[in-house]
Amino acid sequence: MAIAAAAASSSSSLFPKYPCLSRNSPRLPQSLRFSSTIRAVTLQPAKSERNQTLELEGDLFSCPICYEPLIRKGPTGLTLGAIYRSGFKCRKCDKTYSSKDNYLDLTVISGLKDYTEVKPASTELFRSPFVSFLYERGWRQNFNRSGFPGPDEEFKMAQEYFKSAQGGLLVDVSCGSGLFSRKFAKSGTYSGVVALDFSENMLRQCYDFIKQDNTILTSNLALVRADVCRLPFASGFVDAVHAGAALHCWPSPSNAVAEISRILRSGGVFVGTTFLRYTSSTSLTGRVLREVMLIRIKSHLLSKCTLYLPLCSY
């Protein structure tokens, strides 16, 4: 499998609505240097015969320890109320999982009282109640200074990339306060949306926003706490994964991308955006590290799914 250079007769046909992403654009150099605007990496997978209509009544979640499907006791469905009133148990590990503060905790340490997992500073920052509160009240709006076109335009771009996943299950990893999760749910494009984050406070903030919008309060939108390196889904179960401005916060991007590749069905789609500092003053070592990161991400996903990875400098 190789990068699809002949998938379209012209560069403009790849991204008709976003000419700055055309293959021949001067902002998309042939080398792996990153420009100050969005750059998209496109990989073409084999077509999948899988039915994209999600069966929400079955085993939706899996154990984050052994990946066995969880036994569910309670109402079916993916709505907030149904998930909150349900209990989950692993057949193999005999470990139980339940909802807390209107989100389902599917971390490895769920239910443990004597152990607290501490993540790197970039991850722990977003577990702060203060940062969680500010995220959609000024914090996220500043990203346009770093090349992000704004949430509305980013959502439109993601929806273009996710066309092949319509009617399926979308997981919004590192969803934060649910800015894009809510947009995906409100669009009605997917049979289910899972807003997933490691931050308890971000998920609480997401729930507060959902309560204010009656159009999605009873939609198939679930809040799940999980580690991006131990995603609670069976292999090949998910149709689409979104990670908005998140990759730079992950403790191990390569492990996280490997997990995303594992849960995606054949022909599934992963759309991720992130910050990459790359200027004329960037050291040679820094440039090489960023190039290696991009190559690793591409190699993890090349044989499994379609990858769209816009990269913005800061």
Side-chain angles (χ1 to χ4, degrees):
M1 189 70 65
I3 296 178
S9 57
S10 66
S11 60
S12 60
S13 62
L14 267 176
F15 308 105
K17 292 189 177 181
Y18 312 103
C20 66
L21 297 181
S22 62
R23 193 182 304 283
N24 296 325
S25 169
R27 294 182 180 180
L28 263 177
Q30 294 296 326
S31 66
L32 288 175
R33 293 177 296 172
F34 304 116
S35 66
S36 60
T37 56
I38 290 180
R39 177 177 186 268
V41 180
T42 310
L43 305 180
Q44 297 292 341
K47 296 292 183 180
S48 172
E49 300 298 329
R50 182 181 181 273
N51 187 346
Q52 293 182 354
T53 302
L54 176 65
E55 188 63 56
L56 296 177
E57 309 302 324
D59 297 322
L60 177 61
F61 299 111
S62 294
C63 175
I65 299 173
C66 66
Y67 298 130
E68 282 290 316
L70 295 177
I71 302 172
R72 179 174 180 174
K73 185 176 182 180
T76 57
L78 197 59
T79 63
L80 290 173
I83 295 295
Y84 183 74
R85 295 193 300 272
S86 296
F88 297 83
K89 184 176 181 179
C90 177
R91 299 181 178 94
K92 187 174 182 180
C93 301
D94 201 33
K95 182 176 175 64
T96 59
Y97 301 89
S98 59
S99 294
K100 177 182 179 182
D101 295 335
N102 293 291
Y103 64 82
L104 176 62
D105 192 342
L106 292 178
T107 58
V108 173
I109 61 172
S110 174
L112 300 181
K113 297 181 179 180
D114 300 327
Y115 177 76
T116 301
E117 186 174 15
V118 178
K119 293 288 186 178
S122 58
T123 301
E124 290 296 308
L125 174 66
F126 293 97
R127 297 179 72 183
S128 160
F130 180 68
V131 173
S132 300
F133 178 82
L134 287 181
Y135 190 74
E136 289 188 42
R137 297 176 174 89
W139 186 295
R140 186 58 167 81
Q141 287 79 351
N142 287 324
F143 286 15
N144 61 351
R145 299 179 182 178
S146 304
F148 283 81
D152 290 339
E153 189 65 19
E154 292 170 53
F155 172 70
K156 290 179 183 178
M157 293 173 68
Q159 285 291 80
E160 287 289 322
Y161 299 146
F162 283 142
K163 280 186 176 180
S164 63
Q166 291 181 1
L169 174 65
L170 182 145
V171 178
D172 188 17
V173 298
S174 298
C175 68
S177 56
L179 176 62
F180 290 101
S181 303
R182 302 194 307 273
K183 289 179 179 291
F184 289 130
K186 188 178 291 188
S187 72
T189 308
Y190 312 97
S191 55
V193 175
V194 177
L196 184 148
D197 204 286
F198 188 76
S199 169
E200 307 91 325
N201 286 304
M202 281 293 191
L203 292 171
R204 293 185 186 111
Q205 187 64 63
C206 182
Y207 178 71
D208 287 342
F209 282 127
I210 292 174
K211 286 193 302 182
Q212 301 170 19
D213 191 343
N214 291 329
T215 61
I216 58 174
L217 189 57
T218 57
S219 64
N220 285 325
L221 170 61
L223 304 183
V224 174
R225 181 174 184 246
D227 188 336
V228 70
C229 292
R230 300 293 299 183
L231 294 172
F233 302 96
S235 299
F237 188 79
V238 176
D239 298 277
V241 174
H242 176 262
L247 278 72
H248 55 284
C249 297
W250 294 344
S252 176
S254 58
N255 287 346
V257 171
E259 264 294 88
I260 291 171
S261 178
R262 180 187 66 80
I263 68 172
L264 278 170
R265 65 174 175 83
S266 178
V269 184
F270 168 46
V271 175
T273 58
T274 191
F275 293 98
L276 285 181
R277 184 179 180 87
Y278 198 87
T279 65
S280 57
S281 61
T282 302
S283 66
L284 178 60
T285 302
R287 298 185 186 196
V288 171
L289 288 175
R290 285 156 179 78
E291 292 176 359
V292 169
M293 173 184 170
L294 182 60
I295 291 172
R296 286 183 176 179
I297 290 174
K298 288 162 60 179
S299 64
H300 274 301
L301 292 163
L302 183 57
S303 62
K304 182 71 176 292
C305 64
T306 303
L307 163 67
Y308 298 102
L309 182 64
L311 306 172
C312 300
S313 68
Y314 65 95

